[in-house]
Amino acid sequence: EYEADEHLRGISNFVESADGKWAYSSTGVFLGNEKADYVARNVFSLNINESSGHYYQTARIAPISLNYFGFCMMKGNYNVKLHFAEIMFSNDRTFSSFGRRIFDVSIQGRKYLKDFNIMEEAGGVGKGITRDFNVDVNDSTLQIHLSWAGKGTNAVPMRGVYGPLISAITVTPNFKIPSNRLSAGAIAGIV
């Protein structure tokens, strides 16, 4: 089930989704731009030709850290796919193309990406990329943590464009989900 996270909430807060399946946490204030949005938009009309290009038109951003929590997860191994696209910098040779975003990504407390730079990994701005990880959930909660590495630019091309940025998260179990229904044999036995 797809659920959008496009609220402009930001400065150090914790918000649970309406259905209680996931939550989001953000920390920090953008230096010199306290009124910055915490949702980035593809303002440069970058042409993202991916089949799931709509994922990359917006992204959650935070100055210091982003945490996503999946609740009530079954015990088992999951494929966690993180969707990224750098949409805050331009792809021309203007001042807005000089920004660099560098952050770390941890899942379930294990660091999977260190000094991750979306632009370098994707080969430019406006290019959607994914990173897949197989992770175990043992205590019914999945935690995805993105944290600013203190590297890259923090005022180029403007203040408030640094920190971790993510467009979407896909979580798929690597196991068969048991059915909550009774089997035909059990129903026949009960009758």
Side-chain angles (χ1 to χ4, degrees):
E1 294 177 23
Y2 172 76
E3 288 188 47
D5 173 25
E6 295 184 343
H7 299 284
L8 296 179
R9 61 187 179 258
I11 301 174
S12 298
N13 78 63
F14 177 87
V15 177
E16 191 172 337
S17 67
D19 62 7
K21 292 180 183 176
W22 62 274
Y24 153 80
S25 171
S26 170
T27 58
V29 176
F30 288 110
L31 296 173
N33 190 1
E34 293 79 17
K35 295 183 181 181
D37 285 340
Y38 290 81
V39 173
R41 303 200 185 284
N42 183 357
V43 296
F44 295 107
S45 299
L46 299 165
N47 186 16
I48 303 171
N49 293 326
E50 315 295 320
S51 61
S52 55
H54 61 281
Y55 286 161
Y56 303 109
Q57 297 304 313
T58 60
R60 170 70 56 198
I61 184 171
I64 297 174
S65 72
L66 279 170
N67 282 292
Y68 277 98
F69 303 92
F71 297 125
C72 301
M73 307 281 291
M74 295 179 71
K75 183 176 181 175
N77 186 269
Y78 291 81
N79 176 264
V80 176
K81 182 181 285 191
L82 306 179
H83 303 257
F84 302 100
E86 183 54 70
I87 59 174
M88 296 191 76
F89 306 138
S90 69
N91 60 353
D92 53 19
R93 296 190 182 272
T94 64
F95 186 66
S96 60
S97 69
F98 292 124
R100 298 290 174 263
R101 175 184 321 282
I102 299 171
F103 58 95
D104 298 336
V105 176
S106 300
I107 303 173
Q108 297 298 79
R110 178 179 169 209
K111 189 175 289 187
Y112 283 92
L113 300 174
K114 182 169 175 48
D115 295 337
F116 182 67
N117 182 326
I118 300 168
M119 208 165 26
E120 280 184 9
E121 295 287 325
V125 300
K127 296 182 179 183
I129 61 167
T130 60
R131 292 294 177 259
D132 290 76
F133 309 98
N134 286 320
V135 298
D136 292 321
V137 172
N138 295 313
D139 61 358
S140 77
T141 302
L142 172 68
Q143 181 181 4
I144 302 165
H145 179 73
L146 296 88
S147 59
W148 182 43
K151 300 174 184 175
T153 57
N154 64 7
V156 174
M158 65 189 122
R159 294 186 183 279
V161 295
Y162 62 93
L165 176 146
I166 189 164
S167 297
I169 300 168
T170 305
V171 179
T172 309
N174 289 327
F175 55 90
K176 185 176 178 178
I177 304 292
S179 173
N180 289 337
R181 297 178 293 166
L182 293 173
S183 70
I187 292 172
I190 292 170
V191 172

